[in-house]
Amino acid sequence: MAAATWLVGKFWLRPMIVDGASMEPTYAAHGFNVCVLTAYRSHPPARGDVVALKYGGTRYMLLKRVLAFEGETVAFSNGVCVVDGRALDEPYLVKNSGWNVPPRTVKPGNVYVMGDNRSVPFEEHVGGEISLARVAGRTLW
């Protein structure tokens, strides 16, 4: 039984505690979730997916939302995320951040991610353009 539990946790479903408020209100700080490690084996993440990112090895992961893909231009204008000149519909956001971030084109093999809690200055956020290789999986719920 212990071996089966280890195999499931190592290769399929990894339990995790949400440590921090970067994804509030979608995921509360100190809440529980599960990362589905096999979610993107056959296809890449979709826009709006909440993904677990490898951060500092495999034991510590960040949850972030996918906003843009390679070749797309992403910017923030008065807090609105704009991808290829079109504002994203982000109903999960509670507060407009007021961010103004100049456009940047996402490089090949990367995605652009950001947390849902955008009530702090842009410079204090961990997010932005990251390699698809750092995407460990998606949240179960």
Side-chain angles (χ1 to χ4, degrees), residues 62-96:
L62 299 175
L63 294 181
K64 299 296 175 191
R65 190 171 300 272
V66 176
L67 301 178
F69 301 99
E70 66 177 61
E72 293 183 327
T73 301
V74 62
F76 287 89
S77 177
N78 295 317
V80 176
C81 181
V82 178
V83 176
D84 286 343
R86 294 182 306 274
L88 286 186
D89 179 27
E90 297 187 280
Y92 41 82
L93 297 180
V94 172
K95 182 179 177 187
N96 183 322

Side-chain angles (χ1 to χ4, degrees), residues 28-51:
H30 311 295
F32 176 79
N33 210 314
V34 175
C35 175
V36 181
L37 299 170
T38 58
Y40 301 119
R41 297 253 166 94
S42 62
H43 61 84
R47 190 179 328 275
D49 283 1
V50 175
V51 296

Side-chain angles (χ1 to χ4, degrees), residues 19 59 81 97:
D19 182 22
R59 299 205 31 95
C81 181
S97 64

Side-chain angles (χ1 to χ4, degrees), residues 3-16 33-41 52 61 136-140:
T5 302
W6 180 83
L7 284 170
V8 166
K10 178 79 173 165
F11 298 106
W12 186 35
L13 301 171
R14 180 154 312 149
M16 55 195 317
N33 210 314
V34 175
C35 175
V36 181
L37 299 170
T38 58
Y40 301 119
R41 297 253 166 94
M61 291 192 270
R138 69 166 173 78
T139 54
L140 186 58

